[in-house]
Amino acid sequence: MPGEIKNSANQAEQLAGEALELSCQILRIRLRFLDLALRELRPCPRPGMTLLTDGAHLYYGAGYILRRCKDGRDNVARELLHLLLHCVLRHMFVGMVNRELWDLACDLAAEQALLELSLFPAPEDAARRTELEKLRTNSRYMTAEHLYHSLRTHPPAPEQLEELSRLFRTDDHQLWYHQEAPDREGETSSDTGFRIGQSGARAEERWQNLGQRMQVDLETVSS
């Protein structure tokens, strides 16, 4: 029995790896300039995980990948593109932030960019466009930094915040953060900071260089 369970797990991991690689190939075909970004992330299967990155690795749960494939052919490719946009836009490289609001601001910015690319339509897209249009009244630019400032200046009601998070959340951001920050002026006990081990500065520099090279491509495709 233990051997059968192990074989089943290995088979699921192999299938998930193949599905993930197929999604990467789909992105390379539709957006050739993403090849460099995809090469920056080393796939690492981890039981029980969803889809997340620390800027150097692409962690994923085999069960999660297979479930998302079952739910829709392009689901994994779309979620992978969302995650790559976080990297290209360097959303994980921040100082002290309110984690809940920063997570939401980054997801809003990533989905705004993804919708402009007009790829991988999803049933939630209409609702996402409506909410993003509402947010334009308080945020001149739809970047994570401007959206975060807007959310802190005009905080949504708790139920609205929960609904926005549910609507725009795709990947897991837990690897972006480390321990709680001490209370300081302008911060709260929920403010946390970012860390990717000792290689954070190098990872940020690599993604900054990649982002600058890819920005023109993103704008060209969006237009």
Side-chain angles (χ1 to χ4, degrees):
M1 182 68 71
E4 293 178 3
I5 295 176
K6 184 176 181 180
N7 289 337
S8 178
N10 290 340
Q11 184 179 20
E13 190 172 299
Q14 180 179 350
L15 289 172
E18 292 172 358
L20 188 64
E21 178 57 30
L22 177 60
S23 296
C24 291
Q25 292 299 336
I26 290 172
L27 289 178
R28 289 186 175 101
I29 291 170
R30 298 196 182 186
L31 299 168
R32 293 179 59 187
F33 57 86
L34 284 180
D35 181 62
L36 292 174
L38 288 165
R39 291 176 184 273
E40 283 292 317
L41 301 179
R42 182 162 62 88
C44 296
R46 292 291 186 275
M49 284 190 169
T50 55
L51 193 65
L52 59 162
T53 186
D54 60 2
H57 306 85
L58 175 63
Y59 296 102
Y60 64 94
Y64 177 79
I65 294 295
L66 295 177
R67 287 195 301 273
R68 296 303 289 145
C69 287
K70 185 177 180 180
D71 292 339
R73 183 183 62 183
D74 292 331
N75 282 343
V76 175
R78 191 186 197 283
E79 293 185 15
L80 185 56
L81 178 55
H82 177 109
L83 180 145
L84 286 170
L85 286 169
H86 283 318
C87 294
V88 171
L89 299 171
R90 305 195 309 282
H91 288 161
M92 70 268 291
F93 303 103
V94 296
M96 307 310 297
V97 293
N98 177 293
R99 176 172 175 170
E100 185 176 29
L101 295 183
W102 180 250
D103 278 350
L104 176 57
C106 292
D107 284 335
L108 290 166
E111 285 299 314
Q112 169 68 24
L114 200 155
L115 289 171
E116 288 179 352
L117 292 171
S118 299
L119 295 174
F120 310 118
E124 300 83 4
D125 283 354
R128 288 169 177 155
R129 292 182 189 277
T130 299
E131 295 299 332
L132 287 167
E133 198 58 39
K134 292 178 184 176
L135 289 165
R136 289 183 190 277
T137 60
N138 294 324
S139 182
R140 182 179 178 184
Y141 302 104
M142 301 298 280
T143 64
E145 293 77 10
H146 284 87
L147 287 163
Y148 177 72
H149 175 74
S150 176
L151 290 170
R152 295 207 75 159
T153 306
H154 308 280
E159 60 275 11
Q160 184 186 7
L161 182 60
E162 182 178 351
E163 175 59 21
L164 286 171
S165 297
R166 183 200 64 77
L167 184 60
F168 287 89
R169 183 189 302 117
T170 296
D171 58 326
D172 192 327
H173 302 168
Q174 63 174 290
L175 296 182
W176 296 8
Y177 305 96
H178 61 91
Q179 74 276 2
E180 294 273 326
D183 289 336
R184 289 184 291 185
E185 185 178 355
E187 296 178 356
T188 69
S189 59
S190 62
D191 287 352
T192 56
F194 164 84
R195 186 186 304 278
I196 298 183
Q198 298 179 350
S199 61
R202 292 193 299 273
E204 181 176 10
E205 184 178 1
R206 288 199 305 272
W207 283 111
Q208 182 176 12
N209 292 336
L210 272 175
Q212 290 172 346
R213 294 166 65 180
M214 294 168 58
Q215 191 66 38
V216 175
D217 294 307
L218 283 168
E219 292 173 356
T220 300
V221 174
S222 297
S223 61

